[in-house]
Amino acid sequence: MKVHAMALAVFVESSFIQPAGAEPAASDPIPVSLHRTLYPFHPGAVIGLKGLYALPFGTFGTSPAGTVAMQDIAGPPFIAELEVGYQTTPKLFLGGHLGMGFAAPGTAAKRECSREGLSCHLSLVDFGVDAEWRFGAARASPWVGLGVAAETQTLSRRAGGFKSDLKSYGLGVRAAFGMDVRVSGGVVVGPVVEYRLGTFFSTVVESFATLPGEPIATVGSDADISGGLHQAVAFGLRGRWYAGER
């Protein structure tokens, strides 16, 4: 009886216990669907696309006239981000992102543009590195992430042959959480929420003027604005493809 019990234990252990990331053998009694549930997100390359709607707040900077609120410069932007990275373990993702966003000008900038008869819009570009940690091993799994990014914000004002850009350069950090739902193989989709905090360390004004029969004249100068802490809460949807999944 003891011999039969030991043999059964060895069979069960060898059949059902596999290291994380291992593929089931042809004779493996665990179905592929169950194996993916037990060991999701095998190591491999990852590509993703994220769409966000952000609500900015905080301080854009301080000028001799006083504090400039972020809402005075920028309206809520729509942001698209491309993500590329590597799933190093079933839990840990490391990678980078490139994001671009567009928005209407903020309240004060909009009033100025309307008063001066200017056409105005705001654009955002940021790129950085990110790390994410996944919890659980279910079909729908939550995750949390941290990131650091360099960011550029441009408020463009145009009228005829005149163009003036208020460009701000800075650094920011972000904390995010979300839920990934596996829809097919290595494809996942889910909601994401982010909190962003950053500061602009340089703001410049670049003006361009085109005169009849003359080349474009360019004038650049530092804006007399010291950076404040600007913030945003963003929410949206993310889709990813995990190459390690088959």
Side-chain angles (χ1 to χ4, degrees):
M1 181 64 70
K2 290 184 179 180
V3 173
H4 288 297
M6 291 177 62
L8 179 60
V10 170
F11 171 77
V12 170
E13 181 177 0
S14 62
S15 299
F16 290 93
I17 299 179
Q18 301 185 43
E23 290 290 342
S27 59
D28 197 330
I30 303 179
V32 172
S33 60
L34 177 58
H35 190 276
R36 285 176 173 167
T37 299
L38 293 175
Y39 310 115
F41 305 105
H42 297 71
V46 179
I47 272 188
L49 187 61
K50 180 165 57 180
L52 297 168
Y53 178 72
L55 300 173
F57 59 99
T59 304
F60 172 75
T62 303
S63 71
T67 299
V68 181
M70 195 64 185
Q71 295 95 322
D72 289 335
I73 300 296
F78 291 93
I79 303 170
E81 283 190 359
L82 174 67
E83 302 175 322
V84 178
Y86 195 83
Q87 190 72 28
T88 61
T89 73
K91 300 287 187 181
L92 180 62
F93 164 84
L94 298 175
H97 73 269
L98 172 64
M100 299 184 65
F102 300 92
T107 52
K110 188 180 297 184
R111 285 196 302 267
E112 179 187 352
C113 292
S114 178
R115 183 175 63 250
E116 300 293 334
L118 302 174
S119 173
C120 300
H121 71 275
L122 186 130
S123 60
L124 309 167
V125 177
D126 73 274
F127 60 93
V129 294
D130 305 280
E132 293 177 7
W133 184 263
R134 188 173 304 280
F135 299 93
R139 182 182 182 88
S141 56
W143 57 268
V144 295
L146 292 173
V148 180
E151 53 187 13
T152 302
Q153 176 178 281
T154 304
L155 175 61
S156 296
R157 298 167 289 182
R158 299 181 181 181
F162 170 79
K163 177 184 177 183
S164 178
D165 290 342
L166 181 68
K167 290 189 174 183
S168 302
Y169 305 91
L171 291 173
V173 296
R174 62 180 66 183
F177 69 91
M179 177 77 71
D180 278 343
V181 180
R182 189 193 299 270
V183 294
S184 175
V187 178
V188 301
V189 177
V192 56
V193 177
E194 291 187 359
Y195 168 74
R196 300 186 176 194
L197 174 67
T199 185
F200 295 122
F201 54 79
S202 175
T203 298
V204 298
V205 178
E206 295 181 354
S207 299
F208 308 82
T210 304
L211 303 176
E214 297 290 337
I216 296 178
T218 303
V219 177
S221 62
D222 290 333
D224 193 7
I225 299 176
S226 59
L229 287 178
H230 59 270
Q231 305 169 68
V233 173
F235 52 91
L237 194 66
R238 183 180 79 175
R240 275 185 175 178
W241 175 62
Y242 289 82
E245 305 303 301
R246 293 178 287 276

